[in-house]
Amino acid sequence: MNRYLKSLLNLFLVSIVLFSCSDKELPVAATILKNGNIYTVDENNMKAEAIAILGDRILDVGTSADMEKYKGENTKIIDLKGKTLTPGFIEGHGHFMGLGYNELNLDLMDVKSYDELVERVEEAVANAKPGEWIVGRGWHQSKWDNTNEKMIKGFQTHDKLSAVSPDNPVYLRHASGHAGMANTKAMEIAGVLQMSKENLTEEEVEGGEVIRDELGNPTGIFNERAMTLITKNIPENTEERDRQALQLAIEASWRNGITSFHDAGVGRETIDLYKKYKEEGKLGVRLYVMLTGFDKELLAEWYEKGPEIDTMDNLLTIRSVKLNCDGALGSRGAWLLDEYTDRPGHFGMPTLPMEFVAETLKDGLEHGFQVCAHAIGDRANKEILDRYENAFKENGNVGDVRYRIEHAQHLHPDDIPRFGELKVIPAMQAVHMSSDRPWAIDRLGEKRIVEGAYMWQALIQSGAVLVNGTDVPVEPVDPLASFYASVSRKTLAGTPEGGYEPEQKLTREQALKSYTWNAAYGAFEENVKGSIEKGKLADFTVFSDDIMTIPENDILTTKVAMTIVGGEVVYENEEVK
């Protein structure tokens, strides 16, 4: 039986069971999970011990004794042995193929210095053929000890990198994804040449910057849209390699308890691959896909045919547009109202014309597409909120559109209440605060940090629905790291005591909801997932420890014991019994 018919039958059976059965005709559950410490995120029934499952849906939830009435000869019983079960965690903003490709390419997230990065590249060169491209991602100069490095505009130069890779073009994407470092060979292929000092201009690409020294020599750093000067020369991936990356992303999600994933900006080829995987019955994570906003032809195609909302399998929905409106704080590309504290005269930059943003908002409203705008700096957030407000006014009663701002990392205080007023969803990543806060103060200064950075509690108090995530592969996909950052406001090393700006901490209940019901709401899917209730999808994450009550520091040592998608156990940690 193909997946479509199986899903149709499941839905039919569950509908009959839920709405037609009397007490004398109780259905038989396919699976019963019992003896658990269950947090339902259902305000009417917050705690439970057991769940009965039929098909891919929740049949009932209650005590272990309550669920015995659904037990039959063939019912599978899973004894949770006191482990903690929650609704399946939802990655609220990440890059699914990036997650997979991070496992295929050079993963530089753990390097602690430029010298260590160079060593990794040197090892890759030794195993590569001459002329073969070497690509990777994850470096972040603000997290390194750079005391012995030559720095230009806050970045190291390519010299050491080029010295170990004379015959191989190298391109290494910044952890944020908003800058990249190339070696001499890659720049030669791209035709990025030395400029005369007289002709030196800071920005040679609209929405981007090729960083050069005082003599016009490229330093190897390409910021924002200038990255395309290099990336357009990198050979396309094969379908076989794409499939490999996709499978790795699915398995990595399962290991980390992720059952659904908001994929923040993909193109035509990736969508086609997702559809093939779904047809083959291999797409084991529920994807909520945002169309990449800079491809006007792609948008035009989708505006003509309209959103694809998967109400049958609930595996692949395409109904959003992702707009990259500024850069990242780490690369100093985030668009600020006032200059960077550590780079006077520099304000970051918009990476899309605001006219195109306004046009896309109008098109989204007209054709039924949610718009999700990436905005990190306070100027970018203000500009996007202004255009959201104008679009809503110009189009009258727009209804429940749930437009989002992805990251909403640094806000002017006057703009914080506007999220609640306009019903704009801030899709934020708490782990960014944990990783970035120690050096972000150098970019913004203390006043701007305290008044407007990582303002989670203030946004919730404005009435906004806060969605959590990791922005993987910018950060590891582990939701427990982001959960810990949410409730502690500390780095993952546990500093500082009491956390940064502790008044913005989330409660554990708020943090759990931000990763479950709120994330489902951010994708118009709160009626089918995000909480444990009768008739909703049987997607669950099982943890080794009670993340709602254990000491704060123990959250990071908690393990995912089991991941369940549609009633099927897709991952079980053999080390957690």
Side-chain angles (χ1 to χ4, degrees), residues 236 242 266-276 295 298:
E236 294 286 333
D242 283 342
V266 302
R268 186 179 291 102
E269 292 78 11
T270 302
I271 291 171
D272 290 343
L273 178 59
Y274 290 167
K275 288 184 174 182
K276 288 178 184 177
D295 189 338
L298 178 70

Side-chain angles (χ1 to χ4, degrees), residues 239-289:
E239 182 173 340
E240 179 183 358
R241 190 166 164 82
D242 283 342
R243 280 179 170 270
Q244 189 178 0
L246 176 53
Q247 187 60 40
L248 287 170
I250 292 168
E251 293 171 6
S253 295
W254 290 344
R255 289 195 305 274
N256 287 279
I258 300 295
T259 61
S260 294
F261 196 108
H262 296 186
D263 197 0
V266 302
R268 186 179 291 102
E269 292 78 11
T270 302
I271 291 171
D272 290 343
L273 178 59
Y274 290 167
K275 288 184 174 182
K276 288 178 184 177
Y277 242 61
K278 178 187 170 183
E279 290 166 3
E280 295 166 7
K282 298 178 180 177
L283 194 60
V285 175
R286 306 186 193 280
L287 297 182
Y288 184 74
V289 173

